[in-house]
Amino acid sequence: MIILKTFKDLTLMKKILYGEQPQSINVLGGLLHMLQNNTFQLKMCVDSWPTFSTAICYRQNQIGSGLGEIPEKYRIFSKNQDTLRSLLADDKLIKWRNGLEFEAASYHSQIVCEIASLRGFHVKEYGGYHSYIHYSPEKSNLHENSSNLPTTTLNETHAELVVKHSANGGSKESVNLVTAYVKQLPNWCVVDEKGHPVSWLLTDEFNEIRMGYTQPKHRRKGHQQNLVATLIRQRISEGLPVFCHIHKDNLACIKLMLGAGLTLAEETSFMFISDDYI
């Protein structure tokens, strides 16, 4: 296990990961966050260096003062299941416990489940997601709909509202995490006449576009289309990738992202570790 720390090594890693898309996109997104400011204090682990077959970008720490516990996250890129298994089994890298979150290509999920089981934990796996990536965002021809509602950014007081309408929302840890997102990372929202958010779109520490939502009575007015266009332009100006994960049943979001120029990539699984092992 090797933790990459120097700017030289991380810059070389960036070049390699760009050449391994789409499989490397989440790890690449985390690496770019590390090179930009690393507000969320991510780390990069590889099985060997300067050549490697498995890389895991991860966050183990709490974010900010007073935000409390937030889920630990691990993003996996691997071309060799043996080296992946070895890293996941290394107790110096992963302290297996309740609440860990993993994201990997679906064909790697069984290894995560295998190691978790050996440590006495159960894995709650959420499949059916696919990566969508914009390979040439600088060539986007983005269209926006006219709207009489202003576009602005979320603030910390909106975290509970976002979590309430997210797929895995509800926990205190989720509120803490979204609070950190809206405080530290790019986001956009549309607000009504009273200044209340009616549509929003966030990014996370791995540079993924996520948590897009529009209140029911404000749908079919082009708000998400406008927010996606705004966020993609911002991504382009900062030299950051444009990608997201969408469940196969979320047809409206798939249509939106395809229309914005993103391309369907590989199937992905999200895995959450719990202590209710069966």
Side-chain angles (χ1 to χ4, degrees), residues 22-27 53-58 73-79 84 87-88 94 96 101-105 107-109 111-112 206 266 268 271:
Q23 290 81 7
S24 65
I25 189 63
N26 274 297
V27 174
S53 60
T54 296
I56 300 178
C57 188
Y58 64 99
K73 293 189 173 185
Y74 298 82
R75 297 294 183 258
I76 295 168
F77 163 67
S78 181
K79 297 188 290 184
L84 173 58
L87 283 182
L88 292 177
I94 300 175
W96 288 86
E101 177 189 318
F102 292 82
E103 184 278 325
Y107 47 83
H108 291 319
S109 62
I111 297 179
V112 177
F206 297 94
E266 68 176 4
T268 301
M271 292 152 281

PDB file of all heavy atoms in Angstrom, residues 22-27 53-58 73-79 84 87-88 94 96 101-105 107-109 111-112 206 266 268 271:
ATOM      1  N   PRO A  22     -13.750   5.529 -19.089  1.00  0.00           N
ATOM      2  CA  PRO A  22     -14.604   6.029 -18.007  1.00  0.00           C
ATOM      3  C   PRO A  22     -14.400   5.328 -16.665  1.00  0.00           C
ATOM      4  O   PRO A  22     -14.915   5.793 -15.656  1.00  0.00           O
ATOM      5  CB  PRO A  22     -16.015   5.740 -18.531  1.00  0.00           C
ATOM      6  CG  PRO A  22     -15.838   4.472 -19.310  1.00  0.00           C
ATOM      7  CD  PRO A  22     -14.489   4.593 -19.978  1.00  0.00           C
ATOM      8  N   GLN A  23     -13.659   4.211 -16.643  1.00  0.00           N
ATOM      9  CA  GLN A  23     -13.556   3.437 -15.405  1.00  0.00           C
ATOM     10  C   GLN A  23     -12.937   4.231 -14.252  1.00  0.00           C
ATOM     11  O   GLN A  23     -13.240   3.987 -13.093  1.00  0.00           O
ATOM     12  CB  GLN A  23     -12.735   2.164 -15.648  1.00  0.00           C
ATOM     13  CG  GLN A  23     -13.422   1.127 -16.519  1.00  0.00           C
ATOM     14  CD  GLN A  23     -13.306   1.425 -18.006  1.00  0.00           C
ATOM     15  OE1 GLN A  23     -12.588   2.347 -18.410  1.00  0.00           O
ATOM     16  NE2 GLN A  23     -14.006   0.650 -18.823  1.00  0.00           N
ATOM     17  N   SER A  24     -12.098   5.201 -14.574  1.00  0.00           N
ATOM     18  CA  SER A  24     -11.361   5.936 -13.540  1.00  0.00           C
ATOM     19  C   SER A  24     -12.046   7.210 -13.072  1.00  0.00           C
ATOM     20  O   SER A  24     -11.498   7.938 -12.241  1.00  0.00           O
ATOM     21  CB  SER A  24      -9.970   6.294 -14.070  1.00  0.00           C
ATOM     22  OG  SER A  24     -10.079   7.204 -15.164  1.00  0.00           O
ATOM     23  N   ILE A  25     -13.242   7.523 -13.581  1.00  0.00           N
ATOM     24  CA  ILE A  25     -13.782   8.874 -13.440  1.00  0.00           C
ATOM     25  C   ILE A  25     -13.957   9.324 -11.991  1.00  0.00           C
ATOM     26  O   ILE A  25     -13.639  10.463 -11.643  1.00  0.00           O
ATOM     27  CB  ILE A  25     -15.117   9.027 -14.225  1.00  0.00           C
ATOM     28  CG1 ILE A  25     -15.562  10.487 -14.250  1.00  0.00           C
ATOM     29  CG2 ILE A  25     -16.188   8.104 -13.680  1.00  0.00           C
ATOM     30  CD1 ILE A  25     -14.615  11.420 -14.955  1.00  0.00           C
ATOM     31  N   ASN A  26     -14.437   8.454 -11.103  1.00  0.00           N
ATOM     32  CA  ASN A  26     -14.634   8.887  -9.717  1.00  0.00           C
ATOM     33  C   ASN A  26     -13.322   9.145  -9.002  1.00  0.00           C
ATOM     34  O   ASN A  26     -13.181  10.120  -8.256  1.00  0.00           O
ATOM     35  CB  ASN A  26     -15.447   7.835  -8.947  1.00  0.00           C
ATOM     36  CG  ASN A  26     -16.929   8.041  -9.105  1.00  0.00           C
ATOM     37  OD1 ASN A  26     -17.477   9.042  -8.699  1.00  0.00           O
ATOM     38  ND2 ASN A  26     -17.586   7.068  -9.720  1.00  0.00           N
ATOM     39  N   VAL A  27     -12.344   8.258  -9.223  1.00  0.00           N
ATOM     40  CA  VAL A  27     -11.035   8.459  -8.614  1.00  0.00           C
ATOM     41  C   VAL A  27     -10.371   9.702  -9.201  1.00  0.00           C
ATOM     42  O   VAL A  27      -9.752  10.497  -8.485  1.00  0.00           O
ATOM     43  CB  VAL A  27     -10.157   7.208  -8.815  1.00  0.00           C
ATOM     44  CG1 VAL A  27      -8.745   7.448  -8.312  1.00  0.00           C
ATOM     45  CG2 VAL A  27     -10.765   6.019  -8.086  1.00  0.00           C
ATOM     46  N   SER A  53      -2.169  -1.003 -10.514  1.00  0.00           N
ATOM     47  CA  SER A  53      -3.353  -1.630 -11.095  1.00  0.00           C
ATOM     48  C   SER A  53      -4.621  -1.306 -10.320  1.00  0.00           C
ATOM     49  O   SER A  53      -5.726  -1.495 -10.821  1.00  0.00           O
ATOM     50  CB  SER A  53      -3.176  -3.152 -11.176  1.00  0.00           C
ATOM     51  OG  SER A  53      -2.966  -3.705  -9.893  1.00  0.00           O
ATOM     52  N   THR A  54      -4.469  -0.815  -9.094  1.00  0.00           N
ATOM     53  CA  THR A  54      -5.626  -0.447  -8.270  1.00  0.00           C
ATOM     54  C   THR A  54      -5.353   0.877  -7.573  1.00  0.00           C
ATOM     55  O   THR A  54      -4.253   1.095  -7.049  1.00  0.00           O
ATOM     56  CB  THR A  54      -5.928  -1.521  -7.211  1.00  0.00           C
ATOM     57  OG1 THR A  54      -6.307  -2.731  -7.863  1.00  0.00           O
ATOM     58  CG2 THR A  54      -7.056  -1.082  -6.293  1.00  0.00           C
ATOM     59  N   ALA A  55      -6.338   1.753  -7.590  1.00  0.00           N
ATOM     60  CA  ALA A  55      -6.256   3.030  -6.881  1.00  0.00           C
ATOM     61  C   ALA A  55      -7.544   3.244  -6.106  1.00  0.00           C
ATOM     62  O   ALA A  55      -8.635   2.977  -6.617  1.00  0.00           O
ATOM     63  CB  ALA A  55      -6.031   4.179  -7.861  1.00  0.00           C
ATOM     64  N   ILE A  56      -7.415   3.708  -4.888  1.00  0.00           N
ATOM     65  CA  ILE A  56      -8.570   4.010  -4.050  1.00  0.00           C
ATOM     66  C   ILE A  56      -8.422   5.434  -3.535  1.00  0.00           C
ATOM     67  O   ILE A  56      -7.446   5.765  -2.849  1.00  0.00           O
ATOM     68  CB  ILE A  56      -8.697   3.032  -2.866  1.00  0.00           C
ATOM     69  CG1 ILE A  56      -8.862   1.596  -3.387  1.00  0.00           C
ATOM     70  CG2 ILE A  56      -9.878   3.422  -1.974  1.00  0.00           C
ATOM     71  CD1 ILE A  56      -8.945   0.555  -2.281  1.00  0.00           C
ATOM     72  N   CYS A  57      -9.370   6.281  -3.890  1.00  0.00           N
ATOM     73  CA  CYS A  57      -9.408   7.648  -3.382  1.00  0.00           C
ATOM     74  C   CYS A  57     -10.433   7.673  -2.252  1.00  0.00           C
ATOM     75  O   CYS A  57     -11.551   7.183  -2.409  1.00  0.00           O
ATOM     76  CB  CYS A  57      -9.801   8.616  -4.493  1.00  0.00           C
ATOM     77  SG  CYS A  57      -9.666  10.358  -4.034  1.00  0.00           S
ATOM     78  N   TYR A  58     -10.051   8.240  -1.112  1.00  0.00           N
ATOM     79  CA  TYR A  58     -10.922   8.077   0.051  1.00  0.00           C
ATOM     80  C   TYR A  58     -10.848   9.262   1.001  1.00  0.00           C
ATOM     81  O   TYR A  58      -9.906  10.057   0.979  1.00  0.00           O
ATOM     82  CB  TYR A  58     -10.566   6.790   0.796  1.00  0.00           C
ATOM     83  CG  TYR A  58      -9.173   6.759   1.391  1.00  0.00           C
ATOM     84  CD1 TYR A  58      -8.949   7.039   2.729  1.00  0.00           C
ATOM     85  CD2 TYR A  58      -8.073   6.430   0.595  1.00  0.00           C
ATOM     86  CE1 TYR A  58      -7.674   6.995   3.272  1.00  0.00           C
ATOM     87  CE2 TYR A  58      -6.801   6.380   1.126  1.00  0.00           C
ATOM     88  CZ  TYR A  58      -6.604   6.666   2.475  1.00  0.00           C
ATOM     89  OH  TYR A  58      -5.340   6.630   3.001  1.00  0.00           O
ATOM     90  N   LYS A  73     -15.947   7.711   2.898  1.00  0.00           N
ATOM     91  CA  LYS A  73     -16.183   7.306   1.510  1.00  0.00           C
ATOM     92  C   LYS A  73     -14.921   6.775   0.859  1.00  0.00           C
ATOM     93  O   LYS A  73     -13.820   7.298   1.084  1.00  0.00           O
ATOM     94  CB  LYS A  73     -16.698   8.498   0.688  1.00  0.00           C
ATOM     95  CG  LYS A  73     -18.077   8.976   1.089  1.00  0.00           C
ATOM     96  CD  LYS A  73     -18.585  10.005   0.099  1.00  0.00           C
ATOM     97  CE  LYS A  73     -20.026  10.375   0.386  1.00  0.00           C
ATOM     98  NZ  LYS A  73     -20.578  11.281  -0.639  1.00  0.00           N
ATOM     99  N   TYR A  74     -15.115   5.755   0.009  1.00  0.00           N
ATOM    100  CA  TYR A  74     -14.024   5.149  -0.747  1.00  0.00           C
ATOM    101  C   TYR A  74     -14.479   4.994  -2.196  1.00  0.00           C
ATOM    102  O   TYR A  74     -15.534   4.421  -2.462  1.00  0.00           O
ATOM    103  CB  TYR A  74     -13.652   3.780  -0.176  1.00  0.00           C
ATOM    104  CG  TYR A  74     -13.145   3.830   1.246  1.00  0.00           C
ATOM    105  CD1 TYR A  74     -14.040   3.878   2.316  1.00  0.00           C
ATOM    106  CD2 TYR A  74     -11.781   3.826   1.516  1.00  0.00           C
ATOM    107  CE1 TYR A  74     -13.583   3.926   3.622  1.00  0.00           C
ATOM    108  CE2 TYR A  74     -11.312   3.869   2.828  1.00  0.00           C
ATOM    109  CZ  TYR A  74     -12.224   3.919   3.870  1.00  0.00           C
ATOM    110  OH  TYR A  74     -11.772   3.972   5.168  1.00  0.00           O
ATOM    111  N   ARG A  75     -13.659   5.502  -3.126  1.00  0.00           N
ATOM    112  CA  ARG A  75     -13.935   5.368  -4.543  1.00  0.00           C
ATOM    113  C   ARG A  75     -12.848   4.510  -5.172  1.00  0.00           C
ATOM    114  O   ARG A  75     -11.659   4.768  -4.963  1.00  0.00           O
ATOM    115  CB  ARG A  75     -14.011   6.740  -5.225  1.00  0.00           C
ATOM    116  CG  ARG A  75     -15.152   7.628  -4.696  1.00  0.00           C
ATOM    117  CD  ARG A  75     -16.484   7.022  -5.046  1.00  0.00           C
ATOM    118  NE  ARG A  75     -17.620   7.849  -4.647  1.00  0.00           N
ATOM    119  CZ  ARG A  75     -18.377   7.640  -3.593  1.00  0.00           C
ATOM    120  NH1 ARG A  75     -18.098   6.623  -2.775  1.00  0.00           N
ATOM    121  NH2 ARG A  75     -19.406   8.421  -3.317  1.00  0.00           N
ATOM    122  N   ILE A  76     -13.250   3.521  -5.951  1.00  0.00           N
ATOM    123  CA  ILE A  76     -12.333   2.470  -6.395  1.00  0.00           C
ATOM    124  C   ILE A  76     -12.169   2.469  -7.919  1.00  0.00           C
ATOM    125  O   ILE A  76     -13.150   2.526  -8.662  1.00  0.00           O
ATOM    126  CB  ILE A  76     -12.852   1.091  -5.948  1.00  0.00           C
ATOM    127  CG1 ILE A  76     -12.846   0.989  -4.414  1.00  0.00           C
ATOM    128  CG2 ILE A  76     -12.031  -0.030  -6.565  1.00  0.00           C
ATOM    129  CD1 ILE A  76     -13.599  -0.221  -3.895  1.00  0.00           C
ATOM    130  N   PHE A  77     -10.906   2.384  -8.350  1.00  0.00           N
ATOM    131  CA  PHE A  77     -10.574   2.086  -9.741  1.00  0.00           C
ATOM    132  C   PHE A  77      -9.589   0.925  -9.713  1.00  0.00           C
ATOM    133  O   PHE A  77      -8.569   0.984  -9.022  1.00  0.00           O
ATOM    134  CB  PHE A  77      -9.941   3.286 -10.441  1.00  0.00           C
ATOM    135  CG  PHE A  77      -9.223   2.928 -11.712  1.00  0.00           C
ATOM    136  CD1 PHE A  77      -9.942   2.463 -12.812  1.00  0.00           C
ATOM    137  CD2 PHE A  77      -7.848   3.026 -11.812  1.00  0.00           C
ATOM    138  CE1 PHE A  77      -9.283   2.115 -13.986  1.00  0.00           C
ATOM    139  CE2 PHE A  77      -7.183   2.683 -12.987  1.00  0.00           C
ATOM    140  CZ  PHE A  77      -7.909   2.237 -14.076  1.00  0.00           C
ATOM    141  N   SER A  78      -9.887  -0.137 -10.447  1.00  0.00           N
ATOM    142  CA  SER A  78      -8.985  -1.288 -10.428  1.00  0.00           C
ATOM    143  C   SER A  78      -9.039  -2.049 -11.746  1.00  0.00           C
ATOM    144  O   SER A  78     -10.100  -2.228 -12.339  1.00  0.00           O
ATOM    145  CB  SER A  78      -9.356  -2.240  -9.277  1.00  0.00           C
ATOM    146  OG  SER A  78      -8.464  -3.348  -9.237  1.00  0.00           O
ATOM    147  N   LYS A  79      -7.858  -2.506 -12.157  1.00  0.00           N
ATOM    148  CA  LYS A  79      -7.741  -3.384 -13.313  1.00  0.00           C
ATOM    149  C   LYS A  79      -7.282  -4.780 -12.907  1.00  0.00           C
ATOM    150  O   LYS A  79      -6.995  -5.618 -13.764  1.00  0.00           O
ATOM    151  CB  LYS A  79      -6.741  -2.778 -14.314  1.00  0.00           C
ATOM    152  CG  LYS A  79      -7.176  -1.437 -14.885  1.00  0.00           C
ATOM    153  CD  LYS A  79      -6.264  -0.973 -16.006  1.00  0.00           C
ATOM    154  CE  LYS A  79      -4.899  -0.570 -15.471  1.00  0.00           C
ATOM    155  NZ  LYS A  79      -4.030  -0.022 -16.555  1.00  0.00           N
ATOM    156  N   LEU A  84      -6.871  -5.344  -5.789  1.00  0.00           N
ATOM    157  CA  LEU A  84      -8.002  -4.705  -5.120  1.00  0.00           C
ATOM    158  C   LEU A  84      -8.323  -5.434  -3.823  1.00  0.00           C
ATOM    159  O   LEU A  84      -8.508  -4.812  -2.770  1.00  0.00           O
ATOM    160  CB  LEU A  84      -9.224  -4.703  -6.033  1.00  0.00           C
ATOM    161  CG  LEU A  84     -10.531  -4.221  -5.403  1.00  0.00           C
ATOM    162  CD1 LEU A  84     -10.389  -2.799  -4.855  1.00  0.00           C
ATOM    163  CD2 LEU A  84     -11.674  -4.301  -6.413  1.00  0.00           C
ATOM    164  N   LEU A  87      -5.732  -4.576  -1.133  1.00  0.00           N
ATOM    165  CA  LEU A  87      -5.871  -3.254  -0.524  1.00  0.00           C
ATOM    166  C   LEU A  87      -7.070  -3.195   0.417  1.00  0.00           C
ATOM    167  O   LEU A  87      -6.991  -2.631   1.520  1.00  0.00           O
ATOM    168  CB  LEU A  87      -6.001  -2.185  -1.609  1.00  0.00           C
ATOM    169  CG  LEU A  87      -4.724  -1.770  -2.338  1.00  0.00           C
ATOM    170  CD1 LEU A  87      -5.027  -0.667  -3.345  1.00  0.00           C
ATOM    171  CD2 LEU A  87      -3.648  -1.325  -1.363  1.00  0.00           C
ATOM    172  N   LEU A  88      -8.191  -3.768  -0.003  1.00  0.00           N
ATOM    173  CA  LEU A  88      -9.379  -3.740   0.842  1.00  0.00           C
ATOM    174  C   LEU A  88      -9.177  -4.522   2.140  1.00  0.00           C
ATOM    175  O   LEU A  88      -9.796  -4.211   3.163  1.00  0.00           O
ATOM    176  CB  LEU A  88     -10.580  -4.310   0.082  1.00  0.00           C
ATOM    177  CG  LEU A  88     -11.097  -3.479  -1.102  1.00  0.00           C
ATOM    178  CD1 LEU A  88     -12.233  -4.215  -1.800  1.00  0.00           C
ATOM    179  CD2 LEU A  88     -11.568  -2.101  -0.640  1.00  0.00           C
ATOM    180  N   ILE A  94      -8.213   0.574   5.623  1.00  0.00           N
ATOM    181  CA  ILE A  94      -9.641   0.627   5.940  1.00  0.00           C
ATOM    182  C   ILE A  94      -9.897   0.082   7.336  1.00  0.00           C
ATOM    183  O   ILE A  94      -9.533  -1.063   7.632  1.00  0.00           O
ATOM    184  CB  ILE A  94     -10.460  -0.170   4.910  1.00  0.00           C
ATOM    185  CG1 ILE A  94     -10.265   0.414   3.511  1.00  0.00           C
ATOM    186  CG2 ILE A  94     -11.954  -0.156   5.285  1.00  0.00           C
ATOM    187  CD1 ILE A  94     -10.939  -0.365   2.421  1.00  0.00           C
ATOM    188  N   TRP A  96     -12.680  -1.166   9.112  1.00  0.00           N
ATOM    189  CA  TRP A  96     -14.034  -1.603   8.807  1.00  0.00           C
ATOM    190  C   TRP A  96     -14.965  -1.355   9.988  1.00  0.00           C
ATOM    191  O   TRP A  96     -14.711  -1.791  11.105  1.00  0.00           O
ATOM    192  CB  TRP A  96     -14.037  -3.090   8.429  1.00  0.00           C
ATOM    193  CG  TRP A  96     -13.431  -3.317   7.084  1.00  0.00           C
ATOM    194  CD1 TRP A  96     -12.109  -3.494   6.803  1.00  0.00           C
ATOM    195  CD2 TRP A  96     -14.113  -3.346   5.839  1.00  0.00           C
ATOM    196  NE1 TRP A  96     -11.925  -3.639   5.445  1.00  0.00           N
ATOM    197  CE2 TRP A  96     -13.138  -3.569   4.826  1.00  0.00           C
ATOM    198  CE3 TRP A  96     -15.455  -3.226   5.464  1.00  0.00           C
ATOM    199  CZ2 TRP A  96     -13.463  -3.662   3.480  1.00  0.00           C
ATOM    200  CZ3 TRP A  96     -15.774  -3.325   4.116  1.00  0.00           C
ATOM    201  CH2 TRP A  96     -14.798  -3.532   3.143  1.00  0.00           C
ATOM    202  N   GLU A 101     -18.925   3.956   3.095  1.00  0.00           N
ATOM    203  CA  GLU A 101     -19.539   3.946   1.763  1.00  0.00           C
ATOM    204  C   GLU A 101     -18.481   3.668   0.710  1.00  0.00           C
ATOM    205  O   GLU A 101     -17.409   4.279   0.710  1.00  0.00           O
ATOM    206  CB  GLU A 101     -20.204   5.290   1.461  1.00  0.00           C
ATOM    207  CG  GLU A 101     -20.800   5.371   0.053  1.00  0.00           C
ATOM    208  CD  GLU A 101     -21.273   6.757  -0.321  1.00  0.00           C
ATOM    209  OE1 GLU A 101     -21.876   7.413   0.540  1.00  0.00           O
ATOM    210  OE2 GLU A 101     -21.017   7.187  -1.469  1.00  0.00           O
ATOM    211  N   PHE A 102     -18.783   2.725  -0.186  1.00  0.00           N
ATOM    212  CA  PHE A 102     -17.899   2.393  -1.293  1.00  0.00           C
ATOM    213  C   PHE A 102     -18.635   2.630  -2.606  1.00  0.00           C
ATOM    214  O   PHE A 102     -19.843   2.414  -2.698  1.00  0.00           O
ATOM    215  CB  PHE A 102     -17.465   0.922  -1.239  1.00  0.00           C
ATOM    216  CG  PHE A 102     -16.567   0.587  -0.079  1.00  0.00           C
ATOM    217  CD1 PHE A 102     -17.099   0.330   1.167  1.00  0.00           C
ATOM    218  CD2 PHE A 102     -15.200   0.533  -0.244  1.00  0.00           C
ATOM    219  CE1 PHE A 102     -16.281   0.017   2.242  1.00  0.00           C
ATOM    220  CE2 PHE A 102     -14.367   0.221   0.823  1.00  0.00           C
ATOM    221  CZ  PHE A 102     -14.905  -0.043   2.070  1.00  0.00           C
ATOM    222  N   GLU A 103     -17.890   3.048  -3.610  1.00  0.00           N
ATOM    223  CA  GLU A 103     -18.421   3.124  -4.970  1.00  0.00           C
ATOM    224  C   GLU A 103     -17.408   2.473  -5.886  1.00  0.00           C
ATOM    225  O   GLU A 103     -16.207   2.747  -5.816  1.00  0.00           O
ATOM    226  CB  GLU A 103     -18.670   4.562  -5.394  1.00  0.00           C
ATOM    227  CG  GLU A 103     -19.319   4.703  -6.770  1.00  0.00           C
ATOM    228  CD  GLU A 103     -18.282   4.614  -7.897  1.00  0.00           C
ATOM    229  OE1 GLU A 103     -17.151   5.091  -7.690  1.00  0.00           O
ATOM    230  OE2 GLU A 103     -18.604   4.050  -8.958  1.00  0.00           O
ATOM    231  N   ALA A 104     -17.907   1.567  -6.731  1.00  0.00           N
ATOM    232  CA  ALA A 104     -17.024   0.863  -7.649  1.00  0.00           C
ATOM    233  C   ALA A 104     -17.830   0.358  -8.824  1.00  0.00           C
ATOM    234  O   ALA A 104     -19.069   0.290  -8.774  1.00  0.00           O
ATOM    235  CB  ALA A 104     -16.329  -0.307  -6.949  1.00  0.00           C
ATOM    236  N   ALA A 105     -17.136  -0.004  -9.888  1.00  0.00           N
ATOM    237  CA  ALA A 105     -17.804  -0.674 -10.997  1.00  0.00           C
ATOM    238  C   ALA A 105     -18.507  -1.907 -10.455  1.00  0.00           C
ATOM    239  O   ALA A 105     -18.016  -2.571  -9.537  1.00  0.00           O
ATOM    240  CB  ALA A 105     -16.788  -1.063 -12.066  1.00  0.00           C
ATOM    241  N   TYR A 107     -18.796  -4.858 -11.312  1.00  0.00           N
ATOM    242  CA  TYR A 107     -18.076  -6.132 -11.305  1.00  0.00           C
ATOM    243  C   TYR A 107     -17.042  -6.221 -10.172  1.00  0.00           C
ATOM    244  O   TYR A 107     -16.431  -7.267  -9.978  1.00  0.00           O
ATOM    245  CB  TYR A 107     -17.403  -6.399 -12.655  1.00  0.00           C
ATOM    246  CG  TYR A 107     -16.634  -5.235 -13.241  1.00  0.00           C
ATOM    247  CD1 TYR A 107     -15.325  -4.960 -12.843  1.00  0.00           C
ATOM    248  CD2 TYR A 107     -17.215  -4.426 -14.211  1.00  0.00           C
ATOM    249  CE1 TYR A 107     -14.623  -3.904 -13.381  1.00  0.00           C
ATOM    250  CE2 TYR A 107     -16.519  -3.365 -14.761  1.00  0.00           C
ATOM    251  CZ  TYR A 107     -15.223  -3.105 -14.348  1.00  0.00           C
ATOM    252  OH  TYR A 107     -14.527  -2.048 -14.894  1.00  0.00           O
ATOM    253  N   HIS A 108     -16.843  -5.122  -9.411  1.00  0.00           N
ATOM    254  CA  HIS A 108     -15.970  -5.165  -8.238  1.00  0.00           C
ATOM    255  C   HIS A 108     -16.747  -5.309  -6.930  1.00  0.00           C
ATOM    256  O   HIS A 108     -16.142  -5.491  -5.873  1.00  0.00           O
ATOM    257  CB  HIS A 108     -15.121  -3.900  -8.151  1.00  0.00           C
ATOM    258  CG  HIS A 108     -14.072  -3.791  -9.223  1.00  0.00           C
ATOM    259  ND1 HIS A 108     -13.319  -4.864  -9.632  1.00  0.00           N
ATOM    260  CD2 HIS A 108     -13.660  -2.719  -9.947  1.00  0.00           C
ATOM    261  CE1 HIS A 108     -12.479  -4.468 -10.576  1.00  0.00           C
ATOM    262  NE2 HIS A 108     -12.669  -3.180 -10.797  1.00  0.00           N
ATOM    263  N   SER A 109     -18.062  -5.217  -6.986  1.00  0.00           N
ATOM    264  CA  SER A 109     -18.842  -5.173  -5.752  1.00  0.00           C
ATOM    265  C   SER A 109     -18.713  -6.456  -4.935  1.00  0.00           C
ATOM    266  O   SER A 109     -18.743  -6.425  -3.702  1.00  0.00           O
ATOM    267  CB  SER A 109     -20.314  -4.888  -6.055  1.00  0.00           C
ATOM    268  OG  SER A 109     -20.879  -5.920  -6.846  1.00  0.00           O
ATOM    269  N   ILE A 111     -16.137  -8.258  -4.418  1.00  0.00           N
ATOM    270  CA  ILE A 111     -14.932  -8.246  -3.595  1.00  0.00           C
ATOM    271  C   ILE A 111     -15.148  -7.414  -2.339  1.00  0.00           C
ATOM    272  O   ILE A 111     -14.724  -7.794  -1.239  1.00  0.00           O
ATOM    273  CB  ILE A 111     -13.738  -7.715  -4.405  1.00  0.00           C
ATOM    274  CG1 ILE A 111     -13.458  -8.647  -5.582  1.00  0.00           C
ATOM    275  CG2 ILE A 111     -12.499  -7.576  -3.521  1.00  0.00           C
ATOM    276  CD1 ILE A 111     -12.316  -8.206  -6.457  1.00  0.00           C
ATOM    277  N   VAL A 112     -15.819  -6.273  -2.488  1.00  0.00           N
ATOM    278  CA  VAL A 112     -16.141  -5.466  -1.307  1.00  0.00           C
ATOM    279  C   VAL A 112     -16.996  -6.278  -0.342  1.00  0.00           C
ATOM    280  O   VAL A 112     -16.753  -6.308   0.873  1.00  0.00           O
ATOM    281  CB  VAL A 112     -16.861  -4.167  -1.711  1.00  0.00           C
ATOM    282  CG1 VAL A 112     -17.263  -3.366  -0.472  1.00  0.00           C
ATOM    283  CG2 VAL A 112     -15.976  -3.321  -2.629  1.00  0.00           C
ATOM    284  N   PHE A 206     -15.811  14.413  -4.824  1.00  0.00           N
ATOM    285  CA  PHE A 206     -15.219  13.680  -5.939  1.00  0.00           C
ATOM    286  C   PHE A 206     -15.571  14.332  -7.273  1.00  0.00           C
ATOM    287  O   PHE A 206     -15.417  13.732  -8.332  1.00  0.00           O
ATOM    288  CB  PHE A 206     -15.668  12.222  -5.904  1.00  0.00           C
ATOM    289  CG  PHE A 206     -15.204  11.503  -4.669  1.00  0.00           C
ATOM    290  CD1 PHE A 206     -16.027  11.421  -3.549  1.00  0.00           C
ATOM    291  CD2 PHE A 206     -13.931  10.948  -4.607  1.00  0.00           C
ATOM    292  CE1 PHE A 206     -15.591  10.784  -2.394  1.00  0.00           C
ATOM    293  CE2 PHE A 206     -13.494  10.314  -3.450  1.00  0.00           C
ATOM    294  CZ  PHE A 206     -14.323  10.229  -2.331  1.00  0.00           C
ATOM    295  N   GLU A 266     -20.145   3.063 -17.747  1.00  0.00           N
ATOM    296  CA  GLU A 266     -20.264   1.740 -17.150  1.00  0.00           C
ATOM    297  C   GLU A 266     -21.256   1.688 -15.996  1.00  0.00           C
ATOM    298  O   GLU A 266     -21.622   2.706 -15.400  1.00  0.00           O
ATOM    299  CB  GLU A 266     -18.914   1.248 -16.659  1.00  0.00           C
ATOM    300  CG  GLU A 266     -18.357   2.007 -15.470  1.00  0.00           C
ATOM    301  CD  GLU A 266     -17.059   1.374 -14.983  1.00  0.00           C
ATOM    302  OE1 GLU A 266     -16.576   0.430 -15.602  1.00  0.00           O
ATOM    303  OE2 GLU A 266     -16.548   1.836 -13.952  1.00  0.00           O
ATOM    304  N   THR A 268     -22.451   0.969 -12.251  1.00  0.00           N
ATOM    305  CA  THR A 268     -21.801   1.262 -10.983  1.00  0.00           C
ATOM    306  C   THR A 268     -22.668   0.798  -9.825  1.00  0.00           C
ATOM    307  O   THR A 268     -23.893   0.818  -9.911  1.00  0.00           O
ATOM    308  CB  THR A 268     -21.550   2.781 -10.850  1.00  0.00           C
ATOM    309  OG1 THR A 268     -20.725   3.206 -11.939  1.00  0.00           O
ATOM    310  CG2 THR A 268     -20.858   3.130  -9.553  1.00  0.00           C
ATOM    311  N   MET A 271     -22.174   0.871  -2.196  1.00  0.00           N
ATOM    312  CA  MET A 271     -22.241  -0.114  -1.119  1.00  0.00           C
ATOM    313  C   MET A 271     -22.053   0.571   0.225  1.00  0.00           C
ATOM    314  O   MET A 271     -21.120   1.371   0.406  1.00  0.00           O
ATOM    315  CB  MET A 271     -21.165  -1.176  -1.328  1.00  0.00           C
ATOM    316  CG  MET A 271     -21.419  -2.066  -2.538  1.00  0.00           C
ATOM    317  SD  MET A 271     -19.896  -2.728  -3.268  1.00  0.00           S
ATOM    318  CE  MET A 271     -19.320  -1.307  -4.202  1.00  0.00           C
TER     319      MET A 271
END
